[in-house]
Amino acid sequence: MNLYLRYFDRETLVASVDEAIEFLRDIDEVGMNPVLEADIREYAASDVFYPKRYKVRPRVYFIVIKTEAKTMQDFKDKKAVHAIPQPTKAAAPALVRLNEIRPGWYEGAIDFKRVLLVPGTGKFQYRDTQFVADVKAESGMDCYNRIVDYLRERVDARSQFPSAKGKNFKFRYLGMAK
């Protein structure tokens, strides 16, 4: 793993952390110190592939980027970009699962803010309420829409329903037959 460093128009591609620290020591404005050196060594040893930005003074930074490029030209041509692993079917994002067409029965659970009358005071308040139902639907999103449509007819209009994409709606596919 190589390191690319840049401070304004000064840049380099080095093969080791020691070479990177030596490059930064040659730049007076950076002010290399033991704390900065330890942080750069820690970044180089970590599994993090995000660029690291270090503040020199207000609005002035230098950057360090991990790369697999062997030469500066390879780096500039982006020939050694770190590959991001593609998610598997089992680890599909919730949004993909939500819109996946799969007719059958779903168990949907929604946590919403229900408006209720407080006896004795005549005032209204929001109460966290969980509603769980088995619904025949085409997808997770269809399940959400059917549950919310059902609840809108039966609770106060001021009740608040969460987004289907958030953590307050969960669904599970039960199959074609209930």
Side-chain angles (χ1 to χ4, degrees), residues 17-159:
V17 179
D18 293 325
E19 291 176 47
I21 291 168
E22 208 46 53
F23 170 77
L24 293 170
R25 279 199 177 114
D26 291 341
I27 303 171
D28 294 331
E29 296 91 20
V30 170
M32 182 55 74
N33 60 44
V35 174
L36 181 58
E37 183 177 336
D39 193 56
I40 292 171
R41 287 184 190 281
E42 182 181 322
Y43 169 72
S46 71
D47 292 335
V48 175
F49 277 90
Y50 297 106
K52 183 89 175 190
R53 186 171 77 160
Y54 292 93
K55 190 173 192 174
V56 175
R57 59 180 186 274
R59 296 189 306 253
V60 176
Y61 300 87
F62 73 87
I63 63 166
V64 180
I65 301 173
K66 287 184 183 179
T67 182
E68 295 174 6
K70 302 294 180 214
T71 66
M72 183 67 82
Q73 192 59 44
D74 286 349
F75 179 79
K76 299 263 179 173
D77 294 341
K78 297 181 182 176
K79 290 183 180 173
V81 176
H82 182 70
I84 299 170
Q86 296 299 320
T88 61
K89 179 89 172 156
L95 190 58
V96 172
R97 285 187 44 244
L98 187 66
N99 292 318
E100 180 181 28
I101 302 297
R102 197 170 171 192
W105 286 93
Y106 288 83
E107 178 185 74
I110 188 169
D111 297 327
F112 68 102
K113 301 274 187 194
R114 183 176 184 177
V115 174
L116 294 172
L117 177 67
V118 177
T121 64
K123 295 183 179 180
F124 293 89
Q125 72 178 22
Y126 286 102
R127 286 258 172 92
D128 289 334
T129 307
Q130 183 177 51
F131 182 79
V132 180
D134 290 346
V135 179
K136 191 167 190 176
E138 298 291 316
S139 65
M141 189 65 177
D142 188 33
C143 173
Y144 170 83
N145 290 333
R146 288 175 187 245
I147 289 172
V148 170
D149 289 344
Y150 176 84
L151 289 171
R152 284 193 197 280
E153 295 174 6
R154 288 164 177 79
V155 297
D156 192 293
R158 295 171 289 182
S159 296

